[in-house]
Amino acid sequence: MKHSNISIFIPHLGCPYNCIFCDQYKITGSDCAVTPSDVYSLLDSCKKDKKLLNGKTQIAFFGGSFTAIDKNLMIDYLKAASGFVSDCTFDSIRISTRPDCINEEILDTLRRYNVKTIELGIQSFDDQVLTASGRGYSSETAIDSCNLISQSGFELGIQMMCGLPCDTQQKDLETAQTIIDLSCRQVRIYPVIVIKGTKLCQMYENGLYTPLDLDQAVDTCAKLYTLFCQNDVTILKIGLHSSSDGVAGPFHPAFGELVRSKVFYESVIKETSKYKHYNIRVAPSFISVAIGNSKINLRKFKDNGYDIDIISDPNIDREKYIIE
Ligand code: SF4
């Protein structure tokens, strides 16, 4: 059964400072943090939604540094949510935080209140990228934090970014390999979008930062996607939500689909030969990915000498295909 989240946004709560690329008010579309009593009311109202009562739903605190907020307030949030887990209405709690805001005492508190999954906004395991992005911790701290979370019995998720200052595709692939080596099973991949009002936006306007263009971001994310899939890491998300405050960078409303289309194209040309006809069967819901945005894959197959027809077949699982 499909995993679902009830997302509760606490924009910038607990964050020791604003990271150069981040404006959670704009990213989450939420202009203030909810109170613990708002959390209780929201979750109580979610009990009426049968789709959420599937035994897999997590209560997810996103948008800030959950474990760095005032301890009493953090516990009040957890108390507001954990009763809905104790009575088996929802599965568990998921929180997101920074790697330098994790220690054994914090993990003990999270465990007491039914937290199962901890997502760390690591962004990169490259020290030069971390320093240039003003993250305030080293890759060693990030690795220690991941290990502590996993060894303490929590599920670990990692958020990574590509296109930060001083970043390269090679560094992104190395970050992905470290994520795999740390036995992390869930990842979110965010290509950097320059958001109005951030320090990164000033750097961009002063010619000190150049974001990835769309093709570069899709190419890097397709390579990351393939590497994570080969190593059984679940990709929870690729690309940010729509943001009207993005002033530059590889924003596309269907970014994840562009990435999956490129992955599909590249796997097909590895498994077929030029100048020979093939039918490729895919799930109906996968057709748009297979043919690509504005039919780009069909054009590229033809232009590069591949004679391929894509056929819709309801008996094929999404993301799978059969070549005949
Ligand atoms: S990137 Fe994370 S730690 Fe930095 S300001 Fe945004 S939410 Fe806070």
PDB file of all heavy atoms in Angstrom, residues 10-24 27-28 62-66 96-101 121-123 133-135 137 159 161, ligand 1:
ATOM      1  N   ILE A  10       6.522  23.940   9.508  1.00  0.00           N
ATOM      2  CA  ILE A  10       6.965  24.855  10.583  1.00  0.00           C
ATOM      3  C   ILE A  10       8.114  25.699  10.013  1.00  0.00           C
ATOM      4  O   ILE A  10       9.265  25.538  10.398  1.00  0.00           O
ATOM      5  CB  ILE A  10       7.402  24.057  11.832  1.00  0.00           C
ATOM      6  CG1 ILE A  10       8.389  22.937  11.456  1.00  0.00           C
ATOM      7  CG2 ILE A  10       6.202  23.446  12.541  1.00  0.00           C
ATOM      8  CD1 ILE A  10       9.190  22.424  12.644  1.00  0.00           C
ATOM      9  N   PRO A  11       7.818  26.606   9.056  1.00  0.00           N
ATOM     10  CA  PRO A  11       8.889  27.244   8.293  1.00  0.00           C
ATOM     11  C   PRO A  11       9.933  27.943   9.169  1.00  0.00           C
ATOM     12  O   PRO A  11       9.596  28.810   9.964  1.00  0.00           O
ATOM     13  CB  PRO A  11       8.159  28.247   7.386  1.00  0.00           C
ATOM     14  CG  PRO A  11       6.762  28.316   7.897  1.00  0.00           C
ATOM     15  CD  PRO A  11       6.499  27.076   8.690  1.00  0.00           C
ATOM     16  N   HIS A  12      11.169  27.524   8.968  1.00  0.00           N
ATOM     17  CA  HIS A  12      12.367  28.105   9.623  1.00  0.00           C
ATOM     18  C   HIS A  12      12.406  27.934  11.135  1.00  0.00           C
ATOM     19  O   HIS A  12      13.352  28.407  11.766  1.00  0.00           O
ATOM     20  CB  HIS A  12      12.529  29.590   9.279  1.00  0.00           C
ATOM     21  CG  HIS A  12      12.978  29.796   7.870  1.00  0.00           C
ATOM     22  ND1 HIS A  12      14.197  29.355   7.410  1.00  0.00           N
ATOM     23  CD2 HIS A  12      12.351  30.358   6.818  1.00  0.00           C
ATOM     24  CE1 HIS A  12      14.308  29.643   6.124  1.00  0.00           C
ATOM     25  NE2 HIS A  12      13.203  30.246   5.740  1.00  0.00           N
ATOM     26  N   LEU A  13      11.435  27.259  11.706  1.00  0.00           N
ATOM     27  CA  LEU A  13      11.464  27.100  13.164  1.00  0.00           C
ATOM     28  C   LEU A  13      12.699  26.284  13.550  1.00  0.00           C
ATOM     29  O   LEU A  13      12.945  25.218  12.989  1.00  0.00           O
ATOM     30  CB  LEU A  13      10.191  26.385  13.613  1.00  0.00           C
ATOM     31  CG  LEU A  13       9.559  26.898  14.911  1.00  0.00           C
ATOM     32  CD1 LEU A  13       9.265  28.378  14.848  1.00  0.00           C
ATOM     33  CD2 LEU A  13       8.304  26.127  15.226  1.00  0.00           C
ATOM     34  N   GLY A  14      13.470  26.800  14.500  1.00  0.00           N
ATOM     35  CA  GLY A  14      14.667  26.103  14.975  1.00  0.00           C
ATOM     36  C   GLY A  14      15.902  26.376  14.150  1.00  0.00           C
ATOM     37  O   GLY A  14      17.008  26.122  14.614  1.00  0.00           O
ATOM     38  N   CYS A  15      15.748  26.874  12.917  1.00  0.00           N
ATOM     39  CA  CYS A  15      16.934  27.056  12.065  1.00  0.00           C
ATOM     40  C   CYS A  15      17.859  28.080  12.717  1.00  0.00           C
ATOM     41  O   CYS A  15      17.415  29.182  13.052  1.00  0.00           O
ATOM     42  CB  CYS A  15      16.543  27.543  10.674  1.00  0.00           C
ATOM     43  SG  CYS A  15      15.475  26.378   9.833  1.00  0.00           S
ATOM     44  N   PRO A  16      19.135  27.729  12.922  1.00  0.00           N
ATOM     45  CA  PRO A  16      20.033  28.668  13.588  1.00  0.00           C
ATOM     46  C   PRO A  16      20.253  29.928  12.766  1.00  0.00           C
ATOM     47  O   PRO A  16      20.565  30.980  13.309  1.00  0.00           O
ATOM     48  CB  PRO A  16      21.333  27.873  13.756  1.00  0.00           C
ATOM     49  CG  PRO A  16      21.188  26.647  12.925  1.00  0.00           C
ATOM     50  CD  PRO A  16      19.753  26.435  12.614  1.00  0.00           C
ATOM     51  N   TYR A  17      20.144  29.837  11.458  1.00  0.00           N
ATOM     52  CA  TYR A  17      20.206  31.006  10.574  1.00  0.00           C
ATOM     53  C   TYR A  17      19.613  30.595   9.239  1.00  0.00           C
ATOM     54  O   TYR A  17      19.292  29.430   9.032  1.00  0.00           O
ATOM     55  CB  TYR A  17      21.636  31.515  10.382  1.00  0.00           C
ATOM     56  CG  TYR A  17      22.662  30.421  10.282  1.00  0.00           C
ATOM     57  CD1 TYR A  17      22.778  29.654   9.122  1.00  0.00           C
ATOM     58  CD2 TYR A  17      23.488  30.120  11.360  1.00  0.00           C
ATOM     59  CE1 TYR A  17      23.699  28.631   9.039  1.00  0.00           C
ATOM     60  CE2 TYR A  17      24.410  29.085  11.281  1.00  0.00           C
ATOM     61  CZ  TYR A  17      24.514  28.352  10.117  1.00  0.00           C
ATOM     62  OH  TYR A  17      25.417  27.329  10.044  1.00  0.00           O
ATOM     63  N   ASN A  18      19.445  31.565   8.348  1.00  0.00           N
ATOM     64  CA  ASN A  18      18.907  31.227   7.034  1.00  0.00           C
ATOM     65  C   ASN A  18      20.031  30.766   6.121  1.00  0.00           C
ATOM     66  O   ASN A  18      20.966  31.525   5.868  1.00  0.00           O
ATOM     67  CB  ASN A  18      18.228  32.454   6.395  1.00  0.00           C
ATOM     68  CG  ASN A  18      16.844  32.664   6.964  1.00  0.00           C
ATOM     69  OD1 ASN A  18      16.352  31.853   7.736  1.00  0.00           O
ATOM     70  ND2 ASN A  18      16.224  33.751   6.584  1.00  0.00           N
ATOM     71  N   CYS A  19      19.952  29.551   5.633  1.00  0.00           N
ATOM     72  CA  CYS A  19      20.956  29.072   4.682  1.00  0.00           C
ATOM     73  C   CYS A  19      20.823  29.901   3.400  1.00  0.00           C
ATOM     74  O   CYS A  19      19.734  30.376   3.080  1.00  0.00           O
ATOM     75  CB  CYS A  19      20.756  27.590   4.407  1.00  0.00           C
ATOM     76  SG  CYS A  19      20.951  26.641   5.927  1.00  0.00           S
ATOM     77  N   ILE A  20      21.915  30.029   2.662  1.00  0.00           N
ATOM     78  CA  ILE A  20      21.951  31.037   1.596  1.00  0.00           C
ATOM     79  C   ILE A  20      20.900  30.817   0.497  1.00  0.00           C
ATOM     80  O   ILE A  20      20.512  31.749  -0.162  1.00  0.00           O
ATOM     81  CB  ILE A  20      23.351  31.150   0.936  1.00  0.00           C
ATOM     82  CG1 ILE A  20      23.775  29.826   0.310  1.00  0.00           C
ATOM     83  CG2 ILE A  20      24.383  31.649   1.908  1.00  0.00           C
ATOM     84  CD1 ILE A  20      24.978  29.998  -0.611  1.00  0.00           C
ATOM     85  N   PHE A  21      20.462  29.569   0.330  1.00  0.00           N
ATOM     86  CA  PHE A  21      19.544  29.263  -0.780  1.00  0.00           C
ATOM     87  C   PHE A  21      18.097  29.156  -0.320  1.00  0.00           C
ATOM     88  O   PHE A  21      17.215  28.926  -1.131  1.00  0.00           O
ATOM     89  CB  PHE A  21      19.943  27.915  -1.412  1.00  0.00           C
ATOM     90  CG  PHE A  21      20.111  26.829  -0.370  1.00  0.00           C
ATOM     91  CD1 PHE A  21      19.026  26.125   0.110  1.00  0.00           C
ATOM     92  CD2 PHE A  21      21.367  26.536   0.138  1.00  0.00           C
ATOM     93  CE1 PHE A  21      19.183  25.155   1.090  1.00  0.00           C
ATOM     94  CE2 PHE A  21      21.534  25.564   1.117  1.00  0.00           C
ATOM     95  CZ  PHE A  21      20.438  24.880   1.594  1.00  0.00           C
ATOM     96  N   CYS A  22      17.855  29.312   0.994  1.00  0.00           N
ATOM     97  CA  CYS A  22      16.579  28.839   1.539  1.00  0.00           C
ATOM     98  C   CYS A  22      15.646  29.973   1.940  1.00  0.00           C
ATOM     99  O   CYS A  22      16.065  30.957   2.555  1.00  0.00           O
ATOM    100  CB  CYS A  22      16.872  27.963   2.759  1.00  0.00           C
ATOM    101  SG  CYS A  22      15.400  27.230   3.475  1.00  0.00           S
ATOM    102  N   ASP A  23      14.395  29.825   1.592  1.00  0.00           N
ATOM    103  CA  ASP A  23      13.335  30.654   2.170  1.00  0.00           C
ATOM    104  C   ASP A  23      12.124  29.742   2.299  1.00  0.00           C
ATOM    105  O   ASP A  23      11.373  29.547   1.355  1.00  0.00           O
ATOM    106  CB  ASP A  23      13.005  31.855   1.280  1.00  0.00           C
ATOM    107  CG  ASP A  23      11.976  32.763   1.952  1.00  0.00           C
ATOM    108  OD1 ASP A  23      11.128  32.238   2.706  1.00  0.00           O
ATOM    109  OD2 ASP A  23      12.026  33.983   1.737  1.00  0.00           O
ATOM    110  N   GLN A  24      11.997  29.123   3.470  1.00  0.00           N
ATOM    111  CA  GLN A  24      10.943  28.115   3.645  1.00  0.00           C
ATOM    112  C   GLN A  24       9.544  28.718   3.548  1.00  0.00           C
ATOM    113  O   GLN A  24       8.591  28.017   3.214  1.00  0.00           O
ATOM    114  CB  GLN A  24      11.114  27.385   4.977  1.00  0.00           C
ATOM    115  CG  GLN A  24      12.274  26.411   4.988  1.00  0.00           C
ATOM    116  CD  GLN A  24      12.055  25.241   4.053  1.00  0.00           C
ATOM    117  OE1 GLN A  24      10.922  24.832   3.789  1.00  0.00           O
ATOM    118  NE2 GLN A  24      13.134  24.704   3.519  1.00  0.00           N
ATOM    119  N   ILE A  27       9.170  28.446  -0.145  1.00  0.00           N
ATOM    120  CA  ILE A  27       9.239  27.059  -0.632  1.00  0.00           C
ATOM    121  C   ILE A  27       7.988  26.274  -0.220  1.00  0.00           C
ATOM    122  O   ILE A  27       7.421  25.519  -1.000  1.00  0.00           O
ATOM    123  CB  ILE A  27      10.513  26.364  -0.114  1.00  0.00           C
ATOM    124  CG1 ILE A  27      11.747  26.986  -0.771  1.00  0.00           C
ATOM    125  CG2 ILE A  27      10.489  24.865  -0.387  1.00  0.00           C
ATOM    126  CD1 ILE A  27      13.069  26.547  -0.155  1.00  0.00           C
ATOM    127  N   THR A  28       7.555  26.471   1.030  1.00  0.00           N
ATOM    128  CA  THR A  28       6.422  25.668   1.507  1.00  0.00           C
ATOM    129  C   THR A  28       5.091  26.368   1.240  1.00  0.00           C
ATOM    130  O   THR A  28       4.034  25.749   1.364  1.00  0.00           O
ATOM    131  CB  THR A  28       6.509  25.414   3.029  1.00  0.00           C
ATOM    132  OG1 THR A  28       6.431  26.670   3.716  1.00  0.00           O
ATOM    133  CG2 THR A  28       7.801  24.712   3.404  1.00  0.00           C
ATOM    134  N   PHE A  62       7.762  19.291   8.507  1.00  0.00           N
ATOM    135  CA  PHE A  62       8.719  19.727   7.490  1.00  0.00           C
ATOM    136  C   PHE A  62       8.944  21.239   7.565  1.00  0.00           C
ATOM    137  O   PHE A  62       8.135  21.972   8.123  1.00  0.00           O
ATOM    138  CB  PHE A  62       8.173  19.434   6.084  1.00  0.00           C
ATOM    139  CG  PHE A  62       8.142  17.980   5.705  1.00  0.00           C
ATOM    140  CD1 PHE A  62       7.060  17.465   4.998  1.00  0.00           C
ATOM    141  CD2 PHE A  62       9.185  17.126   6.015  1.00  0.00           C
ATOM    142  CE1 PHE A  62       7.019  16.126   4.616  1.00  0.00           C
ATOM    143  CE2 PHE A  62       9.156  15.784   5.638  1.00  0.00           C
ATOM    144  CZ  PHE A  62       8.074  15.290   4.932  1.00  0.00           C
ATOM    145  N   GLY A  63      10.024  21.676   6.927  1.00  0.00           N
ATOM    146  CA  GLY A  63      10.194  23.115   6.671  1.00  0.00           C
ATOM    147  C   GLY A  63      11.061  23.849   7.665  1.00  0.00           C
ATOM    148  O   GLY A  63      11.288  25.049   7.520  1.00  0.00           O
ATOM    149  N   GLY A  64      11.551  23.164   8.690  1.00  0.00           N
ATOM    150  CA  GLY A  64      12.415  23.839   9.658  1.00  0.00           C
ATOM    151  C   GLY A  64      13.451  22.858  10.156  1.00  0.00           C
ATOM    152  O   GLY A  64      13.732  21.847   9.514  1.00  0.00           O
ATOM    153  N   SER A  65      14.005  23.149  11.322  1.00  0.00           N
ATOM    154  CA  SER A  65      14.983  22.248  11.939  1.00  0.00           C
ATOM    155  C   SER A  65      14.341  21.742  13.221  1.00  0.00           C
ATOM    156  O   SER A  65      14.527  22.317  14.300  1.00  0.00           O
ATOM    157  CB  SER A  65      16.279  23.001  12.238  1.00  0.00           C
ATOM    158  OG  SER A  65      16.797  23.540  11.044  1.00  0.00           O
ATOM    159  N   PHE A  66      13.562  20.679  13.084  1.00  0.00           N
ATOM    160  CA  PHE A  66      12.653  20.275  14.158  1.00  0.00           C
ATOM    161  C   PHE A  66      13.363  20.072  15.488  1.00  0.00           C
ATOM    162  O   PHE A  66      12.859  20.473  16.535  1.00  0.00           O
ATOM    163  CB  PHE A  66      11.899  18.995  13.746  1.00  0.00           C
ATOM    164  CG  PHE A  66      10.767  18.661  14.669  1.00  0.00           C
ATOM    165  CD1 PHE A  66       9.542  19.305  14.552  1.00  0.00           C
ATOM    166  CD2 PHE A  66      10.917  17.721  15.676  1.00  0.00           C
ATOM    167  CE1 PHE A  66       8.500  19.023  15.422  1.00  0.00           C
ATOM    168  CE2 PHE A  66       9.881  17.422  16.550  1.00  0.00           C
ATOM    169  CZ  PHE A  66       8.664  18.077  16.412  1.00  0.00           C
ATOM    170  N   SER A  96      11.990  16.513   9.901  1.00  0.00           N
ATOM    171  CA  SER A  96      13.202  16.857   9.153  1.00  0.00           C
ATOM    172  C   SER A  96      14.014  17.860   9.962  1.00  0.00           C
ATOM    173  O   SER A  96      13.458  18.717  10.662  1.00  0.00           O
ATOM    174  CB  SER A  96      12.879  17.390   7.761  1.00  0.00           C
ATOM    175  OG  SER A  96      12.335  18.660   7.822  1.00  0.00           O
ATOM    176  N   THR A  97      15.332  17.716   9.873  1.00  0.00           N
ATOM    177  CA  THR A  97      16.210  18.580  10.655  1.00  0.00           C
ATOM    178  C   THR A  97      17.592  18.640  10.026  1.00  0.00           C
ATOM    179  O   THR A  97      17.826  18.068   8.960  1.00  0.00           O
ATOM    180  CB  THR A  97      16.275  18.093  12.128  1.00  0.00           C
ATOM    181  OG1 THR A  97      16.893  19.094  12.925  1.00  0.00           O
ATOM    182  CG2 THR A  97      17.039  16.781  12.276  1.00  0.00           C
ATOM    183  N   ARG A  98      18.491  19.358  10.704  1.00  0.00           N
ATOM    184  CA  ARG A  98      19.867  19.493  10.233  1.00  0.00           C
ATOM    185  C   ARG A  98      20.742  18.417  10.893  1.00  0.00           C
ATOM    186  O   ARG A  98      20.466  17.997  12.012  1.00  0.00           O
ATOM    187  CB  ARG A  98      20.424  20.860  10.653  1.00  0.00           C
ATOM    188  CG  ARG A  98      19.797  22.051  10.014  1.00  0.00           C
ATOM    189  CD  ARG A  98      20.217  23.319  10.755  1.00  0.00           C
ATOM    190  NE  ARG A  98      21.644  23.441  10.923  1.00  0.00           N
ATOM    191  CZ  ARG A  98      22.476  24.110  10.097  1.00  0.00           C
ATOM    192  NH1 ARG A  98      21.969  24.757   9.056  1.00  0.00           N
ATOM    193  NH2 ARG A  98      23.764  24.159  10.326  1.00  0.00           N
ATOM    194  N   PRO A  99      21.839  18.023  10.234  1.00  0.00           N
ATOM    195  CA  PRO A  99      22.678  16.967  10.825  1.00  0.00           C
ATOM    196  C   PRO A  99      23.394  17.399  12.093  1.00  0.00           C
ATOM    197  O   PRO A  99      23.771  16.554  12.907  1.00  0.00           O
ATOM    198  CB  PRO A  99      23.688  16.644   9.714  1.00  0.00           C
ATOM    199  CG  PRO A  99      23.636  17.786   8.770  1.00  0.00           C
ATOM    200  CD  PRO A  99      22.284  18.392   8.879  1.00  0.00           C
ATOM    201  N   ASP A 100      23.606  18.715  12.278  1.00  0.00           N
ATOM    202  CA  ASP A 100      24.304  19.155  13.491  1.00  0.00           C
ATOM    203  C   ASP A 100      23.346  19.393  14.648  1.00  0.00           C
ATOM    204  O   ASP A 100      23.735  19.939  15.669  1.00  0.00           O
ATOM    205  CB  ASP A 100      25.143  20.417  13.209  1.00  0.00           C
ATOM    206  CG  ASP A 100      24.349  21.529  12.553  1.00  0.00           C
ATOM    207  OD1 ASP A 100      23.203  21.276  12.127  1.00  0.00           O
ATOM    208  OD2 ASP A 100      24.858  22.659  12.470  1.00  0.00           O
ATOM    209  N   CYS A 101      22.096  18.982  14.488  1.00  0.00           N
ATOM    210  CA  CYS A 101      21.112  19.153  15.567  1.00  0.00           C
ATOM    211  C   CYS A 101      20.572  17.795  16.015  1.00  0.00           C
ATOM    212  O   CYS A 101      19.367  17.612  16.235  1.00  0.00           O
ATOM    213  CB  CYS A 101      19.962  20.041  15.085  1.00  0.00           C
ATOM    214  SG  CYS A 101      20.515  21.679  14.622  1.00  0.00           S
ATOM    215  N   GLY A 121      18.536  17.245   6.220  1.00  0.00           N
ATOM    216  CA  GLY A 121      18.900  18.101   5.091  1.00  0.00           C
ATOM    217  C   GLY A 121      20.410  18.196   5.060  1.00  0.00           C
ATOM    218  O   GLY A 121      21.003  19.039   5.722  1.00  0.00           O
ATOM    219  N   ILE A 122      21.058  17.260   4.342  1.00  0.00           N
ATOM    220  CA  ILE A 122      22.524  17.234   4.290  1.00  0.00           C
ATOM    221  C   ILE A 122      23.005  18.160   3.160  1.00  0.00           C
ATOM    222  O   ILE A 122      23.970  18.870   3.284  1.00  0.00           O
ATOM    223  CB  ILE A 122      23.037  15.799   4.003  1.00  0.00           C
ATOM    224  CG1 ILE A 122      22.538  14.816   5.062  1.00  0.00           C
ATOM    225  CG2 ILE A 122      24.541  15.791   3.827  1.00  0.00           C
ATOM    226  CD1 ILE A 122      23.397  14.590   6.230  1.00  0.00           C
ATOM    227  N   GLN A 123      22.340  18.069   2.040  1.00  0.00           N
ATOM    228  CA  GLN A 123      22.591  18.853   0.805  1.00  0.00           C
ATOM    229  C   GLN A 123      23.833  18.381   0.057  1.00  0.00           C
ATOM    230  O   GLN A 123      23.780  18.205  -1.143  1.00  0.00           O
ATOM    231  CB  GLN A 123      22.643  20.369   1.054  1.00  0.00           C
ATOM    232  CG  GLN A 123      21.618  20.929   2.042  1.00  0.00           C
ATOM    233  CD  GLN A 123      20.200  20.404   1.861  1.00  0.00           C
ATOM    234  OE1 GLN A 123      19.910  19.652   0.945  1.00  0.00           O
ATOM    235  NE2 GLN A 123      19.284  20.778   2.756  1.00  0.00           N
ATOM    236  N   SER A 133      28.232  27.160   0.870  1.00  0.00           N
ATOM    237  CA  SER A 133      26.782  27.329   1.013  1.00  0.00           C
ATOM    238  C   SER A 133      26.410  27.753   2.436  1.00  0.00           C
ATOM    239  O   SER A 133      25.225  27.806   2.769  1.00  0.00           O
ATOM    240  CB  SER A 133      26.065  26.018   0.661  1.00  0.00           C
ATOM    241  OG  SER A 133      26.451  25.587  -0.616  1.00  0.00           O
ATOM    242  N   GLY A 134      27.431  28.005   3.265  1.00  0.00           N
ATOM    243  CA  GLY A 134      27.180  28.510   4.613  1.00  0.00           C
ATOM    244  C   GLY A 134      26.373  27.559   5.473  1.00  0.00           C
ATOM    245  O   GLY A 134      25.577  27.982   6.306  1.00  0.00           O
ATOM    246  N   ARG A 135      26.606  26.260   5.302  1.00  0.00           N
ATOM    247  CA  ARG A 135      25.780  25.306   6.050  1.00  0.00           C
ATOM    248  C   ARG A 135      26.180  25.203   7.516  1.00  0.00           C
ATOM    249  O   ARG A 135      25.390  24.783   8.348  1.00  0.00           O
ATOM    250  CB  ARG A 135      25.845  23.921   5.390  1.00  0.00           C
ATOM    251  CG  ARG A 135      25.147  23.863   4.055  1.00  0.00           C
ATOM    252  CD  ARG A 135      23.641  23.986   4.213  1.00  0.00           C
ATOM    253  NE  ARG A 135      23.071  22.794   4.799  1.00  0.00           N
ATOM    254  CZ  ARG A 135      21.830  22.713   5.250  1.00  0.00           C
ATOM    255  NH1 ARG A 135      21.035  23.762   5.213  1.00  0.00           N
ATOM    256  NH2 ARG A 135      21.372  21.600   5.766  1.00  0.00           N
ATOM    257  N   TYR A 137      28.333  23.128   9.053  1.00  0.00           N
ATOM    258  CA  TYR A 137      28.793  21.834   9.574  1.00  0.00           C
ATOM    259  C   TYR A 137      29.664  21.188   8.503  1.00  0.00           C
ATOM    260  O   TYR A 137      29.647  21.604   7.340  1.00  0.00           O
ATOM    261  CB  TYR A 137      27.624  20.904   9.948  1.00  0.00           C
ATOM    262  CG  TYR A 137      26.657  20.660   8.833  1.00  0.00           C
ATOM    263  CD1 TYR A 137      26.903  19.717   7.844  1.00  0.00           C
ATOM    264  CD2 TYR A 137      25.493  21.410   8.753  1.00  0.00           C
ATOM    265  CE1 TYR A 137      26.020  19.526   6.804  1.00  0.00           C
ATOM    266  CE2 TYR A 137      24.599  21.219   7.709  1.00  0.00           C
ATOM    267  CZ  TYR A 137      24.874  20.276   6.742  1.00  0.00           C
ATOM    268  OH  TYR A 137      24.009  20.093   5.701  1.00  0.00           O
ATOM    269  N   GLN A 159      18.104  14.516   2.378  1.00  0.00           N
ATOM    270  CA  GLN A 159      17.811  15.463   1.293  1.00  0.00           C
ATOM    271  C   GLN A 159      19.147  15.950   0.753  1.00  0.00           C
ATOM    272  O   GLN A 159      20.011  16.357   1.523  1.00  0.00           O
ATOM    273  CB  GLN A 159      17.007  16.651   1.833  1.00  0.00           C
ATOM    274  CG  GLN A 159      15.705  16.230   2.479  1.00  0.00           C
ATOM    275  CD  GLN A 159      15.072  17.335   3.330  1.00  0.00           C
ATOM    276  OE1 GLN A 159      15.505  18.469   3.329  1.00  0.00           O
ATOM    277  NE2 GLN A 159      14.027  16.972   4.062  1.00  0.00           N
ATOM    278  N   MET A 161      21.107  18.365  -2.496  1.00  0.00           N
ATOM    279  CA  MET A 161      20.875  19.378  -3.522  1.00  0.00           C
ATOM    280  C   MET A 161      21.951  19.256  -4.584  1.00  0.00           C
ATOM    281  O   MET A 161      23.054  18.780  -4.306  1.00  0.00           O
ATOM    282  CB  MET A 161      20.914  20.780  -2.908  1.00  0.00           C
ATOM    283  CG  MET A 161      19.844  20.969  -1.852  1.00  0.00           C
ATOM    284  SD  MET A 161      19.814  22.615  -1.144  1.00  0.00           S
ATOM    285  CE  MET A 161      18.899  23.509  -2.386  1.00  0.00           C
TER     286      MET A 161
HETATM  287  S1  SF4 B   1      17.946  24.818   4.564  1.00  0.00           S
HETATM  288 FE1  SF4 B   1      17.075  23.840   6.376  1.00  0.00          FE
HETATM  289  S2  SF4 B   1      18.349  24.616   8.081  1.00  0.00           S
HETATM  290 FE2  SF4 B   1      18.700  25.999   6.334  1.00  0.00          FE
HETATM  291  S3  SF4 B   1      17.222  27.683   6.638  1.00  0.00           S
HETATM  292 FE3  SF4 B   1      16.274  26.143   5.273  1.00  0.00          FE
HETATM  293  S4  SF4 B   1      15.069  24.812   6.631  1.00  0.00           S
HETATM  294 FE4  SF4 B   1      16.516  25.947   7.913  1.00  0.00          FE
END
